[in-house]
Each structure stands twice: as structure tokens, then as C-alpha cells.
């Protein structure tokens, strides 16, 4: 695990809280056994339907956003699914993100897509807090315990998203047997977002590994950029939570199909404008205005 001094204060606080919750969870009776909804199949369905495979995140607040969203999380989740999200991510970290296991349970009961538990798992005992389809393991937080935690999660039936930030963490994730990897564009030292992080790591990810771009994706242009760099799917939180979640989700998941349609519509409109101009002025031989 990285030296805590190399982490942003908010991240150090999150990690400290995770360890406290892990300590409190130790000794609980029984291990969870999960029958998960298939995340890869959900991504494949989205692709087949010309939707960008997207994990939309129910995130009431975070250390990098101002204020919080008080809407019913279930209503937000249902809006995201209606907008075309292939899967959902639900925060269960309470202190900094306003999440809870109760929220995850309610959301998972209400939707039929895979649900990722977004939390900061540093101990096997935390895996038994709540059923989900996918759990997150952050390579930088779990360090050398990654192989053990990955196996423990799979033994319970979970699918596992292993999050990395650089080439070194990627290699550790691959060595541990990770088959779904997320590259987080947010630096944990300064909390600065750089989409180039994904672009620098993605070329080194084997083709058989499902690759997810995380953080900093806020527009259709960002979606296209991450997809061009090799993202099989995207995880988006703040950009969807800010406003109408169904409309925001729809804008992002329809980016690729919408872009093609928009180009075709633009060409048709340009042709029509040219015909109208010619008809209006018999002396005109060509139009000089072009769209910008």
C-alpha cells in the first residue's frame, strides 16, 4: 500500500474510516453468497443496442463536489436505467459519500441491471456487509492483499472490478488474476483528473480483460475519447447526478449512435440549404457558407 503521506487528506480520511469499519466488521457470523447479474453480458447487450456500455453512479455527495443530492436513491437509479445505463454503481461509504448498505439493497431490489458496490474494501470482513453483483477493490488501498481479497470476493460469488491508477498497479492487478479492470483518471494525491491517465494505461491491458474508464467523464466528447482509447465501458458519477439523471445518462450512452445520426442530419440539412439557395438565386453558382 502507498505511503499515506502520498495521499490527499480526504483520501487518507476515507482510508482511515474504511479500516475502522473493517475492524468493526470482523467476527460477524457467516459469509455472504451471491448469485450475481452478469456484468459482461450487460455490456454486450448495450453494445448490441448501440448504447455505450455505461455504469451510472448513485452518488449523493463526494469530497470533490459541492453540496449533496437528497433525491430518493431508488428514483435516481430507476432514472439512470431508463436512460440506458447498462449497470449501476452505488456508494456504501457513509462518511464522505453519503452512502449506505441500505441504499444499495433498495436499489438492487428495484432494478434488473448489475449493481456495483462502490466502497473502500480493505479487509475480507467488509465483503459480508451486503449483497451486490460486483465489488470494487482498489489496488492502491489493498496493496499485497489484492490476490487474497480477489479470491475471497469470488468465493462469495461476487464479480470484481479492480481499480488501478498506473502501469505498476495494472501489473499487480493482472498478476492477481483480475479480469475486469478500471483505470481511475483521478490522482489520489492531488485529486486532479486527467483523461490522459486512461490513455497511458489502456494500451497495456490485454484484450481479454474488460477495461473500464473511471472519473472525469463529463461530456459526449469525453465518452468518444475514452472509447477511442480502448474503454469497453465507462463509469460516470457526477456528470449524471448533476441535473436530470435520465436525460444525462441518455446523452452519454447515445453518444456514438447519436454522433452518426447527427452527422447524417447535418449533411441532409446542408444539402437542403444548398438547394434552397440555388432556387432563390438563379445567378448563384455555389454556396460559400459552411457550417462551423
Amino acid at each position: 500500500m502507498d505511503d499515506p503521506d502520498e495521499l490527499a487528506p480526504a483520501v487518507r480520511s476515507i482510508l482511515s474510516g474504511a479500516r475502522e469499519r473493517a475492524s468493526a466488521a470482523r467476527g460477524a457470523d457467516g459469509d455472504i453468497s451471491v448469485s450475481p447479474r452478469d456484468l459482461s453480458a450487460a455490456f454486450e447487450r448495450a453494445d448490441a443496442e448501440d448504447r455505450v456500455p455505461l455504469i451510472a453512479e448513485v452518488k449523493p455527495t463526494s469530497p470533490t463536489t459541492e453540496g449533496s443530492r437528497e433525491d430518493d436513491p431508488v428514483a435516481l437509479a430507476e432514472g439512470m436505467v431508463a436512460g440506458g445505463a447498462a449497470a449501476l454503481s452505488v456508494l456504501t461509504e457513509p462518511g464522505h459519500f453519503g452512502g449506505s448498505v441500505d441504499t444499495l439493497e433498495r436499489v438492487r431490489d428495484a432494478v434488473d441491471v448489475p449493481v456495483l458496490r462502490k466502497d473502500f474494501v480493505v479487509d475480507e470482513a467488509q465483503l459480508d456487509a451486503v449483497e451486490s453483483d460486483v465489488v470494487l477493490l482498489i489496488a492502491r488501498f489493498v496493496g499485497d492483499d489484492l490476490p487474497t481479497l480477489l479470491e475471497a470476493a469470488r468465493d462469495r460469488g461476487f464479480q470484481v472490478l479492480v481499480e488501478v491508477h498506473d502501469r505498476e498497479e495494472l501489473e499487480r492487478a493482472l498478476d492477481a488474476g483480475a479480469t475486469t479492470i478500471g483505470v481511475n483518471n483521478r490522482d489520489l494525491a492531488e485529486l486532479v483528473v486527467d483523461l490522459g491517465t486512461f490513455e497511458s494505461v489502456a494500451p497495456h491491458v490485454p484484450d481479454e480483460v474488460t477495461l473500464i474508464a473511471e472519473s472525469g467523464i463529463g461530456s459526449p466528447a469525453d465518452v468518444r475519447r475514452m472509447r477511442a482509447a480502448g474503454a469497453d465501458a465507462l463509469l460516470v458519477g457526477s456528470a449524471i447526478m448533476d441535473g436530470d439523471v435520465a436525460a444525462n445518462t441518455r446523452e452519454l450512452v447515445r453518444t456514438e449512435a447519436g454522433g452518426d445520426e447527427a452527422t447524417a442530419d447535418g449533411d441532409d440539412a446542408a444539402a437542403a440549404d444548398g438547394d434552397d439557395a440555388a432556387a432563390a438565386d438563379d445567378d448563384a453558382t455555389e454556396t460559400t457558407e459552411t457550417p462551423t
Side-chain angles (χ1 to χ4, degrees), residues 24-196:
R26 293 185 191 118
D29 294 333
D31 294 342
I32 275 182
S33 180
V34 180
S35 297
R37 300 161 187 167
D38 193 324
L39 184 64
S40 295
F43 291 163
E44 290 171 2
R45 282 194 298 272
D47 270 326
E49 296 170 1
D50 290 327
R51 288 181 286 123
V52 174
L54 185 143
I55 305 173
E57 189 159 86
V58 181
K59 182 168 65 172
T61 188
S62 83
T64 58
T65 58
E66 295 182 2
S68 62
R69 182 136 187 192
E70 304 297 335
D71 307 58
D72 178 12
V74 171
L76 293 172
E78 291 174 334
M80 294 169 181
V81 173
L88 298 176
S89 169
V90 177
L91 268 296
T92 58
E93 195 282 336
H96 299 80
F97 292 87
S100 72
V101 295
D102 176 68
T103 295
L104 188 148
E105 288 175 337
R106 291 177 56 223
V107 167
R108 190 165 182 255
D109 285 343
V111 301
D112 59 0
V113 300
V115 177
L116 162 70
R117 178 188 174 195
K118 182 76 171 289
D119 207 326
F120 304 87
V121 173
V122 295
D123 189 281
E124 182 175 343
Q126 290 174 275
L127 294 171
D128 297 316
V130 63
E131 291 188 20
S132 64
D133 303 292
V134 191
V135 293
L136 174 71
L137 295 177
I138 300 176
R140 187 164 297 185
F141 282 4
V142 302
D144 293 340
D145 293 331
L146 179 57
T148 301
L149 287 172
L150 184 59
E151 181 180 6
R154 288 173 173 165
D155 285 345
R156 289 162 169 80
F158 292 113
Q159 299 160 99
V160 184
L161 168 60
V162 178
E163 179 177 295
V164 305
H165 296 80
D166 56 33
R167 289 274 307 280
E168 188 274 332
E169 291 176 8
L170 171 64
E171 291 305 316
R172 287 201 287 115
L174 294 173
D175 289 344
T179 57
T180 302
I181 289 177
V183 179
N184 195 329
N185 290 306
R186 189 181 301 280
D187 170 67
L188 294 182
E190 302 293 337
L191 298 182
V192 175
V193 170
D194 178 6
L195 297 185

